[in-house]
Amino acid sequence: MHDALLKLHRWSALVSGAFLLLVALSGALLVFEGAIDRGLNPGLWHVTSATDIALSLDTLAARAATAAGGKVVGSVTVPTTLDRAYVFGAAGGLAIFVNPYTGAVQGTRTAEERERGLARRLHVFHETLLAGAAGGGLVGVVTILALFLVLGGIILWWPRRIIRLNGNASWKRTIFDLHHVLGIFAAIVLVAITASATAIKYRAVGAVIVKLDHTPPAERPKESLVVPGATPISADSVARIARATLPGAAIMNMSIPRGGTDIVTVGMRFQEDRTPGGRSRAYIDQYSGRVMLAQSTRTAELGTRLDNLKRSIHTGDVLGKPTEVIWLLATLIMAEQAVTGFVMWWNGRRKGQPRIS
């Protein structure tokens, strides 16, 4: 059994190793995804003001609409810190960055410009290796193999239980020990990263998780009730209604009433939530202001709670900065496992069979 698992472990690693190295290294860089974009574009993101009191959303939306050049402004993303711009979304993927305290438009960015940015390219590379749907499928397979490699590695480690390096050993033995020691120290986090990645990549896995709920999810409202002569409520009214509906939750993003039959959607986050965008929602009729559906992470059932956690578990946001640092180190160790594993195989190949197993 041990020998069969070892061979399967070895050949799975050889098949996926190069791709796993690329996915792991790009994942490590994505810990800094937001910081990279803000660092490369400080003029868009960074704001200063003598006051921390933001102007009304309607005022800011009007400034954004002027900068949009006739394109309809339909959404706003609210930052988590006071030193960043509000980002308004307009038709065609145009983003307008507005200083919330002065109302000054700091710049715009088209969808094409965003896609060309380094942070976005890293994100797409991590998900698809810049190879479209085929690359995304390959990354999915590599993710499953990575989970198998970690779980199999734990089983293969157990008989020897190597937990330290031998300073007097040969370099080949040091590589062998390094592979085992770092691998087992990072194993729990790597299981969390690869298992959550599998749940994110394959919707069927997420669907199974949600089925742990006792009741099926509520159906999202489809449209507002249009009353002849009625006008949409203001964005500030939407914000007030949302905050009253989910007290204690901060608004992270919201659509802006603009007529038609659209429902206004407000994404919110409670202080204890770890996902950057939040997972609580308020769906509001844009004419009457009636709350058509409210979804709170505080009252969510087990399946939904676990499904909400999968992305923050994958990225390391689950407990904030401490876990982000731990996840970064674990991801680098995953890359190290690919390299040291190949070196171990190569050393054995030159002799006709592995010297150490």
Side-chain angles (χ1 to χ4, degrees), residues 31 269 271-276 309 312-313 315-328:
V31 172
R269 186 178 73 176
Q271 187 174 7
E272 68 272 15
D273 293 337
R274 294 302 178 184
T275 51
L309 277 174
S312 58
I313 289 176
T315 59
D317 292 320
V318 62
L319 293 178
K321 292 300 180 184
T323 46
E324 287 180 5
V325 173
I326 294 172
W327 262 236
L328 169 62

Side-chain angles (χ1 to χ4, degrees), residues 13 167 262-263 268 275 337-338:
D262 291 342
I263 293 290
M268 307 181 74
T275 51
Q337 294 286 285

Side-chain angles (χ1 to χ4, degrees), residues 267-326:
M268 307 181 74
R269 186 178 73 176
F270 289 100
Q271 187 174 7
E272 68 272 15
D273 293 337
R274 294 302 178 184
T275 51
R279 288 292 183 270
S280 296
R281 298 285 185 272
Y283 299 95
I284 300 171
D285 185 298
Q286 67 166 305
Y287 296 100
S288 67
R290 180 171 64 91
V291 178
M292 305 183 75
L293 176 65
Q295 298 172 321
S296 170
T297 55
R298 289 181 171 177
T299 58
E301 295 188 47
L302 176 62
T304 299
R305 286 178 181 270
L306 292 176
D307 191 57
N308 288 341
L309 277 174
K310 66 177 184 285
R311 188 165 293 278
S312 58
I313 289 176
H314 182 65
T315 59
D317 292 320
V318 62
L319 293 178
K321 292 300 180 184
T323 46
E324 287 180 5
V325 173
I326 294 172

Side-chain angles (χ1 to χ4, degrees), residues 191-241:
V191 168
I193 290 173
T194 53
S196 58
T198 301
I200 293 170
K201 193 69 180 178
Y202 297 99
R203 293 184 178 180
V205 177
V208 171
I209 295 174
V210 173
K211 285 183 179 179
L212 293 173
D213 288 350
H214 293 297
T215 56
E219 184 177 355
R220 177 178 173 177
K222 292 182 172 59
E223 57 184 31
S224 296
L225 178 62
V226 180
V227 178
T231 58
I233 62 176
S234 67
D236 290 294
S237 295
V238 170
R240 283 193 295 270
I241 293 168

Side-chain angles (χ1 to χ4, degrees), residues 322-356:
T323 46
E324 287 180 5
V325 173
I326 294 172
W327 262 236
L328 169 62
L329 295 175
T331 307
L332 292 175
I333 289 174
M334 181 180 287
E336 171 272 334
Q337 294 286 285
V339 174
T340 55
F342 177 80
V343 173
M344 289 163 56
W345 171 80
W346 185 259
N347 288 337
R349 176 181 177 276
R350 293 174 64 186
K351 297 294 183 181
Q353 61 180 16
R355 292 182 57 193
I356 301 172

Side-chain angles (χ1 to χ4, degrees), residues 27 34 95 118-119 129 133 147 170 180 186 188 193 244 266 290 302 307 354:
L118 176 60
L129 299 177
L147 178 57
S170 67
H180 287 72
I188 294 177
I193 290 173
V266 186
R290 180 171 64 91
L302 176 62
D307 191 57

